[in-house]
Amino acid sequence: MSGNSDLRPVTVIGLGPMGQAMAAALLRAGHPVTLWNRTPSRADGLVAEGATLAPSPAAAVAASELTILSLTDYPAMYDILGPLAGEPGALADRTLVNLGSDTPDVSRQAAEWAASHGARFVTGGVMVPAPMIGTGDAHVFYSGPRDTFDSCEPVLRIIGEPKYLGADPGLAQLFYQAHLDVFLTCLSSLLHATALVTAAGVPAAEFLPGALTTLTDIPAMIGDGLELARALEAGEHPGDLSTARMMGATAEHILRTSETVGVDVELPKAVRSHYERAVAAGHGDQDWTALYEVIRARR
């Protein structure tokens, strides 16, 4: 199993926008690329650029030692590769890099499944949209056996900056979902806030540029994350500049305003709940970071 990426054949299974972008980046880098997709016509543009369309998943996997899976979820992997598991040696000595989304536990189970059929397995989480694949701004989380990742790393680097997290196959999905937890919540809050101002007749264009600045200013307000991490791990929430009780009052006002103008209240209710529970637990005079004490898992 070579770590040299020089014209190493690569198979890409799954040709949604992300899979197409990955295959295109690999083709631009000079790799022989084999493709398979349930809807073969999605490969037409890539075939015109030099890729090969395999007639079946078995042929696609056989064409390359390294197969990259760009699928909606892990059940899709089993649907496509499951039949190969019944064919002796079909997955043996193959490396599967699954860049689909699922839970960390499902990723761990998939790694065990792959190993039981003689395949090597790496989990990945792509942190950018398809148009950014292959650019300097792209990055992808990976986890799985270090030697397997190292053998693929030169190829995976073409997709985006690889960030290896460790041997546990679940880590890449954990980090992927944790980052998207921040991202998706921010997107929902952005739309909710826009709905608040437009309900008052204010054009969205007069609000959104400033709202985006609020998002980008957050690091300047709370730092680079290292001091915040230290404080959370130490359970230190001094409350010098603000308190959970104070910020909870603001959360209450946002909820009441939402109710008054008829905007959906589920998001502000959830936020207010964190502050209410923090205050009830005795953290009212501590910083907003004390919410962590009611949010985090108890073991």
Side-chain angles (χ1 to χ4, degrees), residues 254-276:
I254 294 168
L255 173 59
R256 282 162 45 192
T257 300
S258 299
E259 291 172 335
T260 300
V261 301
V263 170
D264 185 82
V265 297
E266 293 307 312
L267 181 61
K269 272 186 177 179
V271 174
R272 183 190 66 172
S273 168
H274 288 154
Y275 285 97
E276 285 183 334

Side-chain angles (χ1 to χ4, degrees), residues 16-276:
M18 189 68 73
Q20 290 192 31
M22 292 175 188
L26 293 167
L27 282 170
R28 289 194 299 270
H31 288 271
V33 176
T34 298
L35 309 170
W36 187 84
N37 192 69
R38 292 183 192 276
T39 305
S41 61
R42 287 191 178 178
D44 289 349
L46 294 164
V47 170
E49 295 297 321
T52 299
L53 179 63
S56 67
V61 172
S64 314
E65 182 272 332
L66 172 60
T67 292
I68 295 174
L69 301 161
S70 180
L71 303 167
T72 303
D73 53 25
Y74 276 47
M77 178 189 75
Y78 293 120
D79 288 344
I80 294 167
L81 299 186
L84 276 66
E87 301 176 14
L91 295 177
D93 294 323
R94 300 293 165 186
T95 299
L96 307 176
V97 177
N98 195 329
L99 299 180
S101 175
D102 221 304
T103 68
D105 281 346
V106 167
S107 297
R108 295 181 184 107
Q109 293 160 9
E112 293 175 0
W113 175 84
S116 73
H117 297 291
R120 295 170 287 272
F121 192 84
V122 172
T123 303
V126 182
M127 299 311 303
V128 296
M132 293 175 65
I133 291 296
T135 71
D137 294 322
H139 65 281
V140 185
F141 291 121
Y142 293 100
S143 62
R146 181 81 211 209
D147 58 344
T148 303
F149 168 77
D150 286 344
S151 76
C152 305
E153 191 270 348
V155 174
L156 299 178
R157 185 168 292 279
I158 294 166
I159 295 170
E161 178 70 22
K163 296 181 181 289
Y164 179 72
L165 300 172
D168 177 358
L171 283 175
Q173 284 297 318
L174 180 63
F175 269 62
Y176 170 77
Q177 290 173 11
H179 278 260
L180 286 182
D181 185 7
V182 176
F183 181 64
L184 295 179
T185 305
C186 283
L187 293 184
S188 288
S189 69
L190 193 64
L191 296 178
H192 186 274
T194 303
L196 278 182
V197 298
T198 57
V202 178
E206 292 185 14
F207 168 72
L208 280 168
L212 290 175
T213 300
T214 298
L215 288 178
T216 57
D217 282 348
I218 288 176
M221 299 177 194
I222 67 173
D224 63 4
L226 294 178
E227 175 56 26
L228 176 58
R230 187 205 64 76
L232 293 179
E233 289 171 356
E236 297 175 0
H237 315 289
D240 297 331
L241 299 177
S242 64
T243 66
R245 183 175 285 107
M246 220 169 73
M247 293 182 71
T250 300
E252 171 68 22
H253 299 156
I254 294 168
L255 173 59
R256 282 162 45 192
T257 300
S258 299
E259 291 172 335
T260 300
V261 301
V263 170
D264 185 82
V265 297
E266 293 307 312
L267 181 61
K269 272 186 177 179
V271 174
R272 183 190 66 172
S273 168
H274 288 154
Y275 285 97
E276 285 183 334

